Amino acid sequence: MSTLPQALAGIVEDFAALEEAQRLELLLEFSDALPELPARLADHPELLEQVAECQSPIFLALEVDPEGERAVHLFFSAPPEAPTTRGFASVLHEGLDGVPAQAVLEVPDDMPNLLGLTRAITPLRMRGMSGMLARIKRQVREALAAGAA
Amino acid sequence: MSIATDPHAKFADYAHPERLVSTDWLAAHLGEPGLVVVESDEDILLYETGHIPGAVKIDWHTDLNDEVTRDYVDGAGFARLMSAKGIGRDTTVVLYGDKSNWWAAYALWVFTLFGHRDVRLLDGGRDKWIAEGRDLTREKPAPAPTDYPVVERDDAPIRAFLPDVLDHLGKPLIDVRSPEEYTGERTHMPAYPEEGALRGGHIPTAASVPWARAAAEDGTFRNRAELEAIYLDGAGLDEGDEVIAYCRIGERSSHTWFVLTHLLGFGNVRNYDGSWTEWGNAVRVPIAKGTERGGVPAVRVR
């Protein structure tokens, strides 16, 4: 997995080393660990983009550092009644937050399938996670383009 | 020996009041021998975030569906599942779940395919239990295995297949999806991703009664008079009608199947679980678009 940033590659390895039931438990741990939105975003829901591919309401926002490695900072909001969606968001947060923009863009689009959850979790939900990743990459591209202009 | 039913006044008006329990009743009976509480949700992790103390989980996707064929588990698979959950053939099972018991009703319908006699729904489901501030736990019970018998699934009375629906045209059909799915404007639920039906619309003659109309704001079922206004006066069903309900994959229509069968007392209601993901992809089946129900096709084309 040379194309995955180190933190995300580590998460994928952790999932791969487990049995399916334990993978779901690990996803629950990620769900529990999803950080709250910072106040500057929590008070401004219009700054967040809804991930329409997900069955549950989830919103994301990101910021890209203006210089240096152009590190990406991710923010998610998803309700506690949607733990699977929160878990996916949390995996992406822990795996990609602070990662240089170029490395985020190089994450393969089918990365969610590497978690070994495609049997337990319906294709619909797996597509939701792919949708989150696609939107992150699009927003990163937009941020880079805006910075270059 | 089943456990005494809930004498709740609202339930007494329903055709089969023994099919529902209230949150008060459940709180009072938790832990009683012969009772197993089962949570069944859309989200595979929701049970793990906290559930009713002592409740076990059944997942619609990994536990009730066959892994390979688009079908339900067989008698041996169901017996294994019941044993693992500590459910015997005479156990009183109370099901509850998220989204006004949408998935719990689906599980109840599958239990019925195997003729499990005493299976009930918690009126208001998970949300009402939580809204009332009742206990939740993350502790998972470890039930002792039972020797649940291998009972062959009996699909015919309550399950319809595509040819059955073609033969049924002219008798009442209820489409329980959203109005946008019914008209053909979209092939999936609002706010849900596209799910790959090649055609949009509804089965000709089907009445549109979105499933959630049967639920009140707190997730409990509407009372009998309200339900009669929706299904008899509104959708035009008459006592004694044979009815088929469908949605996208048969989950939301299980909720309506429960309402028509157990709350309003229709004796011949089938759930077409192939639903729109089958019909909307099938070759040469008739489809109606727009808000009109459409007529019975004059010529059988298939």
Side-chain angles (χ1 to χ4, degrees), chain B residues 155-217:
Chain B
D155 289 337
I158 61 167
R159 186 180 185 195
F161 297 95
L162 192 147
D164 302 327
V165 179
L166 285 168
D167 289 342
H168 183 86
L169 288 178
K171 294 183 217 165
L173 271 167
I174 303 283
D175 183 319
V176 315
R177 299 172 301 157
S178 61
E180 295 82 2
E181 292 170 275
Y182 180 84
T183 59
E185 192 182 318
R186 62 199 310 165
T187 52
H188 57 102
M189 283 177 272
Y192 276 59
E194 186 64 53
E195 246 180 323
L198 292 172
R199 290 289 185 270
H202 56 270
I203 301 176
T205 72
S208 170
V209 187
W211 71 280
R213 290 189 59 198
E217 286 69 29

Side-chain angles (χ1 to χ4, degrees), chain B residues 165 173-177 181-182 201-209 211 243-254 256-257 270-277 279 288:
Chain B
V165 179
L173 271 167
I174 303 283
D175 183 319
V176 315
R177 299 172 301 157
E181 292 170 275
Y182 180 84
H202 56 270
I203 301 176
T205 72
S208 170
V209 187
W211 71 280
V243 186
I244 292 177
Y246 72 94
C247 57
R248 182 181 55 95
I249 57 169
E251 14 62 277
R252 286 172 287 177
S253 43
S254 296
T256 298
W257 169 85
R270 285 178 292 169
N271 180 23
Y272 168 39
D273 59 280
S275 279
W276 200 257
T277 48
W279 197 276

Side-chain angles (χ1 to χ4, degrees), chain B residues 72-259:
Chain B
Y72 300 99
V73 291
D74 60 11
F78 189 73
R80 273 197 302 277
L81 176 66
M82 292 299 96
S83 173
K85 302 300 173 186
I87 297 170
R89 190 66 174 163
D90 294 327
T91 301
T92 297
V93 174
V94 171
L95 284 155
Y96 74 98
D98 59 352
K99 299 181 193 274
S100 306
N101 281 326
W102 162 0
W103 300 91
Y106 186 54
L108 187 144
W109 178 76
V110 175
F111 271 68
T112 307
L113 291 174
F114 291 98
H116 192 92
R117 199 173 43 84
D118 190 0
V119 54
R120 318 179 187 180
L121 279 184
L122 173 66
D123 196 27
R126 179 182 167 93
D127 288 346
K128 183 156 194 282
W129 182 272
I130 293 174
E132 291 168 350
R134 298 179 189 270
D135 287 348
L136 291 177
T137 180
R138 284 192 170 199
E139 199 176 312
K140 293 182 192 173
T146 64
D147 56 354
Y148 199 92
V150 174
V151 180
E152 282 319 306
R153 220 178 54 218
D154 186 10
D155 289 337
I158 61 167
R159 186 180 185 195
F161 297 95
L162 192 147
D164 302 327
V165 179
L166 285 168
D167 289 342
H168 183 86
L169 288 178
K171 294 183 217 165
L173 271 167
I174 303 283
D175 183 319
V176 315
R177 299 172 301 157
S178 61
E180 295 82 2
E181 292 170 275
Y182 180 84
T183 59
E185 192 182 318
R186 62 199 310 165
T187 52
H188 57 102
M189 283 177 272
Y192 276 59
E194 186 64 53
E195 246 180 323
L198 292 172
R199 290 289 185 270
H202 56 270
I203 301 176
T205 72
S208 170
V209 187
W211 71 280
R213 290 189 59 198
E217 286 69 29
D218 64 355
T220 57
F221 288 106
R222 295 194 180 280
N223 66 37
R224 177 139 193 182
E226 290 168 332
L227 293 176
E228 286 180 350
I230 293 168
Y231 294 98
L232 305 187
D233 309 339
L237 295 184
D238 285 316
E239 202 181 325
D241 273 348
E242 286 174 42
V243 186
I244 292 177
Y246 72 94
C247 57
R248 182 181 55 95
I249 57 169
E251 14 62 277
R252 286 172 287 177
S253 43
S254 296
H255 190 272
T256 298
W257 169 85
F258 182 88
V259 169

Side-chain angles (χ1 to χ4, degrees), chain A residues 65-131:
Chain A
D65 284 348
E67 43 201 38
E69 290 186 312
R70 313 295 307 269
V72 174
H73 305 283
L74 293 166
F75 307 94
F76 292 96
S77 168
E81 309 84 70
T84 301
T85 302
R86 281 179 64 90
F88 282 152
S90 183
V91 164
L92 293 174
H93 182 268
E94 196 167 317
L96 295 176
D97 194 58
V99 165
Q102 193 53 42
V104 172
L105 292 178
E106 285 169 11
V107 174
D109 292 337
D110 63 354
M111 172 264 143
N113 293 340
L114 302 177
L115 297 174
L117 293 166
T118 47
R119 195 200 73 94
I121 294 187
T122 60
L124 202 56
R125 280 188 184 282
M126 293 307 301
R127 283 209 291 281
M129 189 176 183
S130 303

